[in-house]
């Protein structure tokens, strides 16, 4: 008896854009311009119901502690709330703020001492999705055509960045992400974020929506 094997070949997919759904796009645009990340994002008006933790964070990697402090100060001056004051940790130096629209941002560096003056440069921006099952969601994305760049078992997965997006995509356990950000894990309603896809439109197992950008 010969068994037929069907191979599914997904169209290559990558993250093309990140759109935040906000109640007041103009106010959000002013905030993100002052914060210094406006060129990384798109904004869209939405009144979708959302409470508590939205299940994701946007993380900035920068050169040193002074630059972390500068971005945190810029966010607070523009109206953000500090969730975790910038401080040293086992992994470096970081702080967490929440934008007026509710989006949580983490600003971090692996350096514990400054080797130069503070800058307004961002080395990397990562969209971290908090998911229930990292392995299962990773496989879902691999089946969709995303390429894994790094993977640490069921704890963390990072995908290869798309050519057209300045934002890298990664998966983390939802509960662990909430703990890292200093917020309760509970949340209901919309994630208030839409991911741009270089291929088709779909929704992942944790309810994060992707839409085709082409």
């Amino acid at each position: 008896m010969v068994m037929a094997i069907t191979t599914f070949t997904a169209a290559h997919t990558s993250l093309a854009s990140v759109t935040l759904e906000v109640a007041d796009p103009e106010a959000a645009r002013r905030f993100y311009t002052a914060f210094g990340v406006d060129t990384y994002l798109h904004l869209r008006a939405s009144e979708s119901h959302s409470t508590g933790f939205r299940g994701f964070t946007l993380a900035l990697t920068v050169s040193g502690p002074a630059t972390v402090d500068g971005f945190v100060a810029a966010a607070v001056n523009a109206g953000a709330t500090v969730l975790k004051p910038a401080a040293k940790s086992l992994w470096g130096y970081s702080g967490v703020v929440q934008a007026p629209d509710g989006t949580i941002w983490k600003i971090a560096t692996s350096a514990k001492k400054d080797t130069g003056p503070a800058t307004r440069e961002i080395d990397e921006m990562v969209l971290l999705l908090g998911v229930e099952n990292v392995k299962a969601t990773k496989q879902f994305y691999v089946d969709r055509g995303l390429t894994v760049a790094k993977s640490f078992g069921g704890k963390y997965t990072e995908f290869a960045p798309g050519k057209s997006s300045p934002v890298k995509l990664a998966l983390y356990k939802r509960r662990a992400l909430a703990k890292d950000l200093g917020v309760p894990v509970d949340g209901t309603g919309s994630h208030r974020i839409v991911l741009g896809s270089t291929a088709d439109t779909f929704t992942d197992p944790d309810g994060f929506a992707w839409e085709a950008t082409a």
Side-chain angles (χ1 to χ4, degrees):
M1 179 178 179
V2 178
M3 295 182 66
I5 299 175
T6 301
T7 302
F8 173 72
T9 303
H12 179 70
T13 305
S14 62
L15 180 64
S17 63
V18 173
T19 299
L20 297 179
E21 296 187 327
V22 300
D24 187 339
E26 284 306 314
R29 188 168 290 108
R30 288 193 296 272
F31 170 81
Y32 287 118
T33 299
F35 186 24
V37 299
D38 53 303
T39 58
Y40 290 80
L41 303 168
H42 298 284
L43 301 171
R44 177 186 299 171
S46 174
E47 296 292 344
S48 298
H49 173 73
S50 181
T51 63
F53 183 41
R54 295 179 184 174
F56 74 92
T57 188
L58 283 154
L60 307 182
T61 302
V62 298
S63 61
T67 300
V68 171
D69 290 338
F71 273 100
V72 170
V76 171
N77 289 340
T81 301
V82 175
L83 297 181
K84 291 181 75 172
K88 288 183 180 179
S89 69
L90 180 64
W91 308 111
Y93 185 86
S94 65
V96 180
V97 299
Q98 187 167 32
D101 64 83
T103 302
I104 297 175
W105 291 80
K106 181 175 182 177
I107 306 97
T109 178
S110 59
K112 295 184 180 181
K113 294 182 179 180
D114 288 305
T115 56
T119 73
R120 294 290 289 163
E121 294 180 4
I122 298 169
D123 295 337
E124 184 176 70
M125 182 183 290
V126 180
L127 169 59
L128 271 165
L129 302 184
V131 303
E132 293 301 327
N133 188 321
V134 171
K135 286 185 177 180
T137 303
K138 177 182 73 172
Q139 189 58 52
F140 173 86
Y141 280 126
V142 168
D143 291 343
R144 286 283 173 179
L146 276 78
T147 301
V148 174
K150 297 178 184 177
S151 184
F152 300 95
K155 295 182 179 180
Y156 178 83
T157 294
E158 187 177 289
F159 296 98
K163 294 180 180 179
S164 60
S165 175
V167 183
K168 187 180 290 184
L169 177 67
L171 308 177
Y172 201 38
K173 292 281 289 185
R174 179 185 169 96
R175 187 170 296 279
L177 181 58
K179 181 179 180 180
D180 182 58
L181 299 173
V183 298
V185 70
D186 298 329
T188 62
S190 172
H191 290 296
R192 287 290 194 100
I193 189 171
V194 177
L195 288 67
S197 164
T198 56
D200 57 352
T201 296
F202 59 91
T203 300
D204 81 1
D206 294 271
F208 287 99
W210 291 65
E211 61 181 25
T213 58

